[in-house]
């Protein structure tokens, strides 16, 4: 399938204003979380070699910090 959008339409500028309330029919975010789900997710993150966490208004790439223990010989 090909959808062709004219270049003048692609490059057109317009004023956009975010609505006060989003209208997302069918989307019902959970109001409660199950403690075991949170616990299992935490275990999976801790077990990952290079976990990536997507959060909030941006992306945070989180990796396990290098070990702080120093070896003295």
């Amino acid at each position: 399938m090909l959808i062709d959008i004219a270049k003048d339409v692609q490059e057109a500028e317009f004023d956009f204003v975010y609505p006060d309330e989003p209208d997302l029919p069918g989307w019902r975010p959970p109001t409660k979380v199950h403690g075991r789900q949170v616990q299992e997710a935490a275990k999976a993150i801790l077990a990952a070699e290079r976990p990536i966490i997507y959060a909030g208004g941006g992306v945070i790439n989180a990796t396990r910090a290098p070990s702080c223990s120093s070896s003295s010989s």
Side-chain angles (χ1 to χ4, degrees):
M1 175 186 277
L2 171 66
I3 300 175
D4 188 15
I5 300 174
K7 188 168 184 153
D8 63 330
V9 174
Q10 294 178 37
E11 295 179 352
E13 292 187 20
F14 61 95
D15 294 323
F16 177 78
V17 178
Y18 280 99
D20 292 333
E21 288 291 322
D23 181 23
L24 303 170
W27 185 63
R28 303 286 180 258
T31 55
K32 298 178 184 177
V33 295
H34 193 281
R36 184 149 183 208
Q37 287 177 321
V38 174
Q39 185 179 33
E40 292 299 316
K43 283 181 188 177
I45 291 170
L46 289 172
E49 287 183 27
R50 297 183 62 181
I52 297 176
I53 300 174
Y54 295 98
V59 176
I60 300 170
N61 289 322
T63 59
R64 212 176 275 183
S67 177
C68 293
S69 62
S70 59
S71 59
S72 29
S73 311

